[in-house]
């Protein structure tokens, strides 16, 4: 009987010790996930991997305006650059990635639209882009969308950009579909096509690459408004926190610096930083 009592008492002491250790571990874990950015916590961010100047995976890491915006936002949320896990967010996958929780937020030339807002929430906008055309630097005969009539107009396979121009602005434009924007650029450079169309920010990113410096120019036609937002899961409290971070990025001039660094080499005449919640139709 005495042995049983001693064993029971020892078990009770051991249980208390384990409980105390568990409590201590919980507190430590909580501290490591604080806004100090310490510990092993991570934030997962979706970006494009194949858009120079905006979101691109390179041998040196990840680069572009969207990457700089996302890195700034993550820092304001309490995460250092090395605590960001980057995931490729292809256009067709973005809503699904957010719904499944594959990423915490997405910054990937993600235009805010009423249809998309049924599925996800958006912080921002953080950039107002426009559909435009890219031309050879020495081109003098395309000065307006109407001048694209009878011209060879390129966009990537599956994009609606070129068709929008043909339907609404230049019905006689000769549409050319290439597999990638890089292929369109090669065709534009060689004279096989006359113009490339998509968002001006995307065009500026491609034209800013070192090998194309000085070879192309933007038409400046502003054919549509594209309000880039940061996508989050529907109902996420991150939306308000990201909006605050974006406001701070504008106020401390980090936003201007990021635009100039990533898109400036193409002489991109960007719109001023948009006001949070101001969606241009």
């Amino acid at each position: 009987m005495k042995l049983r009592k001693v064993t029971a008492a020892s078990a009770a002491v051991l249980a208390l010790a384990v409980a105390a250790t568990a409590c201590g571990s919980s507190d430590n874990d909580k501290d490591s996930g604080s806004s100090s950015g310490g510990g092993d916590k991570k934030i997962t961010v979706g970006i494009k991997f194949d858009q120079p100047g905006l979101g691109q995976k390179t041998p040196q890491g990840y680069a572009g305006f969207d990457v700089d915006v996302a890195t700034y936002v993550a820092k304001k949320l309490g995460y250092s650059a090395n605590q960001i896990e980057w995931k490729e967010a292809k256009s067709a996958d973005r809503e699904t990635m957010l719904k499944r929780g594959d990423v915490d937020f997405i910054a990937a030339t993600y235009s805010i639209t009423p249809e998309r807002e049924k599925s996800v929430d958006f912080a921002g906008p953080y950039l107002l882009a426009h559909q435009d055309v890219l031309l050879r630097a020495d081109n003098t005969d395309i000065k307006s969308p109407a001048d694209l009539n009878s011209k060879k107009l390129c966009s990537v396979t599956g994009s609606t950009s070129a068709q929008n121009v043909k339907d609404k602005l230049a019905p006689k434009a000769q549409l050319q579909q290439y597999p990638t924007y890089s292929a369109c650029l090669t065709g534009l450079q060689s004279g096989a096509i006359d113009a490339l169309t998509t968002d001006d920010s995307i065009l500026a990113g491609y034209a800013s690459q070192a090998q194309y410096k000085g070879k192309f120019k933007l038409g400046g036609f502003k054919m549509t408004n594209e309000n880039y937002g940061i996508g989050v899961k529907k109902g996420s409290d991150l939306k308000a926190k990201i909006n605050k971070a974006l406001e701070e990025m504008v106020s401390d001039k980090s936003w201007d610096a990021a635009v100039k660094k990533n898109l400036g080499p193409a002489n991109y005449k960007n719109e001023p930083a948009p006001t949070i919640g101001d969606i241009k139709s």
Side-chain angles (χ1 to χ4, degrees), residues 139-184:
N139 182 286
T140 58
D141 60 350
I142 299 177
K143 299 176 181 177
S144 71
D147 294 331
L148 294 167
N149 281 305
S150 302
K151 301 296 185 182
K152 294 178 181 178
L153 180 64
C154 186
S155 193
V156 296
T157 303
S159 170
T160 60
S161 298
Q163 190 64 48
N164 287 341
V165 173
K166 185 175 178 68
D167 290 345
K168 301 174 183 177
L169 300 167
K172 294 182 180 180
Q174 300 174 32
L175 303 189
Q176 306 285 320
Q177 289 193 331
Y178 283 34
T180 64
Y181 289 116
S182 295
C184 280

Side-chain angles (χ1 to χ4, degrees), residues 23 33 42 47 81 90 113 129 143 155 170 189 196 223 225 268:
C23 290
K42 296 282 185 181
I47 57 168
K90 296 180 179 179
T113 68
K143 299 176 181 177
S155 193
Q189 187 174 357
L196 162 60
M223 294 180 280
N225 290 327
Y268 178 54

Side-chain angles (χ1 to χ4, degrees), residues 46 87-90 93-103 106:
K87 282 196 174 183
E88 184 174 17
K90 296 180 179 179
D93 300 335
R94 291 175 297 198
E95 284 83 28
T96 301
M97 292 176 72
L98 289 169
K99 287 179 181 178
R100 285 196 311 228
D102 297 341
V103 292
I106 290 177

Side-chain angles (χ1 to χ4, degrees), residues 39 76-77 89 119 134 154 170 190 193 211 217 226 242 259 274:
K76 291 298 180 178
L77 294 176
S119 303
L134 193 69
C154 186
S190 70
I193 62 170
Q211 67 267 38
K217 64 181 180 182
E226 305 295 336
I242 293 173
V259 172

Side-chain angles (χ1 to χ4, degrees), residues 5-76:
K5 287 181 181 178
V6 171
T7 302
S10 299
V13 170
L14 179 60
L16 288 171
V18 170
T21 301
C23 290
S25 298
S26 177
D27 289 341
N28 289 337
D29 290 343
K30 185 176 180 181
D31 289 342
S32 70
S34 70
S35 61
S36 65
D40 299 326
K41 67 173 187 169
K42 296 282 185 181
I43 189 166
T44 307
V45 180
I47 57 168
K48 293 292 180 67
F49 277 14
D50 59 353
Q51 286 186 340
L54 291 159
Q56 186 179 26
K57 184 177 181 179
T58 73
Q60 293 75 39
Y62 299 91
F65 178 69
D66 283 347
V67 174
D68 287 350
V69 170
T71 301
Y72 185 99
V73 167
K75 182 177 180 181
K76 291 298 180 178

